[in-house]
Amino acid sequence: MLQTVLPQPLELELKEVGVPTPAAGELVVRVRAVTLCGSDVRVWKGEKTGGVAWPATIGHELAGEITSVGDGVTGYAAGDRVSLAPWFTCGVCEYCLTGETNLCDNMEVFGYGISGALAEYTVIPALGVANGQVVKTTDALAPEISALAEPLACVYHGHSRSRIHDGSTVLIVGGGPIGLLHLELAVLAGAGTIIVSEPSASRREFARRHGAHVTVDPINESLADAVAAATGGTGVDSTIICIGHGGLVAEAIEVTRKGGLVNLFAGFGGDGTGTIPLNTIHYRQQDVIGNSGATLEDYRYAVELIESGRIDLSEYITDRFPLNELDAALNRAISGDAIKVAVIC
Ligand SMILES: [Zn+2]
Ligand SMILES: [Zn+2]
């Protein structure tokens, strides 16, 4: 079978290796599709090295079917269509014990510390099988759509902490795939006014088709003026920052109303610092929150949202590449024009 391997950043090998056989507790999955994520791109470029085991086989947003089942595994059979919640949590740390498994002290992530899915077959380690991270999925959807449960789960985790409800005014800063998934959930929650700030014209157009009431080109338009016009000068109830530019945070806080909330959803580039208006937060009594990962419950809910049709992700895969063109797929993901790039294994 073919397996992609990154010996180090910006170097890619396609290796012919034997099809794996599962050890006790493991599952072997024939990978059908892997969607690429901003963090895959950061590993490829060498910007993300923490938590990555080199040489690396990346890929954590996957769907496929089980081909063989290790001794002792119950509840799964060859032929099951599955996707994977890629967060391997320990189950015994303070956070796991209180249900905040996304904050697990000992987390390892499939596709980073654990060899990932960009191969024809992949092994799901026993811990993930035992945790219930392998989720059976419908075969009514294309596998590259099922793979999107992973980013949707992370977005749902952030959304559920952002106080968005019927009639809310919401600002989404950054209309890439993550910002657009936040848009879908805000629409589903009945938000009254949703503003998306995004420099790419094609992504702004996508956002309008998917329910954004106002889109802003932050390069050529004033975000503050657009928010003031859309909210009668009040500012938005909730702002979600979906692009990791620290310089955008101060303005996002300024356009959020008194008592409002700002979610730093994105991870931030550079040295990860920025300047924020402390007295705006203080006098406006705002909540500025962070966000990281998702729980298994979030993942299962994301699968449910996709399979029930309550969220339609059929337009999200803008590009498809075969496994032997992973470098082209990564470059396409870097381009900033695609929504989601899928590798069809
Ligand atoms: Zn991802
Ligand atoms: Zn833990």
Side-chain angles (χ1 to χ4, degrees), residues 5-248:
V5 178
L6 275 56
Q8 56 184 39
L10 297 172
E11 243 182 62
L12 182 62
E13 288 174 5
L14 193 62
K15 285 192 169 164
E16 183 65 46
V17 299
V19 174
T21 50
E26 293 180 345
L27 293 171
V28 171
V29 170
R30 173 74 177 92
V31 182
R32 293 297 176 196
V34 179
T35 47
L36 298 181
C37 179
S39 52
D40 294 324
V41 167
R42 288 199 293 280
V43 172
W44 165 243
K45 286 175 160 176
E47 293 169 3
K48 176 181 165 77
T49 51
V52 181
W54 301 93
T57 294
I58 58 173
H60 62 276
E61 302 177 0
L62 66 139
E65 66 198 36
I66 294 173
T67 51
S68 49
V69 176
D71 284 346
V73 175
T74 55
Y76 297 98
D80 286 348
R81 265 282 295 268
V82 292
S83 64
L84 176 73
W87 315 285
F88 283 64
T89 53
C90 74
V92 296
C93 74
E94 188 182 330
Y95 299 100
C96 284
L97 290 174
T98 54
E100 293 179 293
T101 53
N102 61 306
L103 304 177
C104 172
D105 275 334
N106 306 302
M107 184 174 321
E108 284 212 78
V109 185
F110 187 87
Y112 300 101
I114 300 167
S115 183
L118 280 161
E120 289 180 312
Y121 293 82
T122 194
V123 177
I124 311 298
L127 175 64
V129 178
N131 280 348
Q133 292 166 227
V134 180
V135 177
K136 290 183 198 173
T137 59
T138 177
D139 52 14
L141 292 174
E144 59 271 33
I145 301 294
S146 295
L148 296 176
E150 194 272 344
L152 183 62
C154 295
V155 167
Y156 176 70
H157 188 80
H159 167 87
S160 66
R161 305 178 67 242
S162 300
R163 293 204 300 253
I164 296 170
H165 45 72
D166 217 11
S168 294
T169 53
V170 180
L171 168 63
I172 295 166
V173 180
I178 293 296
L180 292 168
L181 291 174
H182 272 289
L183 166 66
E184 305 287 348
L185 291 176
V187 169
L188 196 65
T193 302
I194 307 170
I195 304 161
V196 175
S197 174
E198 161 60 40
S200 156
S202 64
R203 286 175 167 181
R204 287 198 303 276
E205 191 270 328
F206 190 101
R208 284 193 295 276
R209 267 191 296 118
H210 285 249
H213 303 92
V214 178
T215 57
V216 183
D217 171 3
I219 308 297
N220 297 305
E221 295 174 88
S222 159
L223 178 61
D225 289 350
V227 170
T231 64
T234 308
V236 293
D237 300 325
S238 298
T239 295
I240 305 175
I241 299 183
C242 301
I243 178 100
H245 293 171
L248 299 175

Side-chain angles (χ1 to χ4, degrees), residues 231-288:
T231 64
T234 308
V236 293
D237 300 325
S238 298
T239 295
I240 305 175
I241 299 183
C242 301
I243 178 100
H245 293 171
L248 299 175
V249 179
E251 186 178 30
I253 289 169
E254 296 290 0
V255 299
T256 302
R257 73 162 170 82
K258 294 177 191 171
L261 177 146
V262 179
N263 186 341
L264 308 186
F265 185 86
F268 290 86
D271 64 359
T273 64
T275 303
I276 58 172
L278 300 175
N279 275 333
T280 303
I281 298 168
H282 170 77
Y283 286 111
R284 288 195 199 165
Q285 200 175 291
Q286 294 170 326
D287 295 319
V288 179

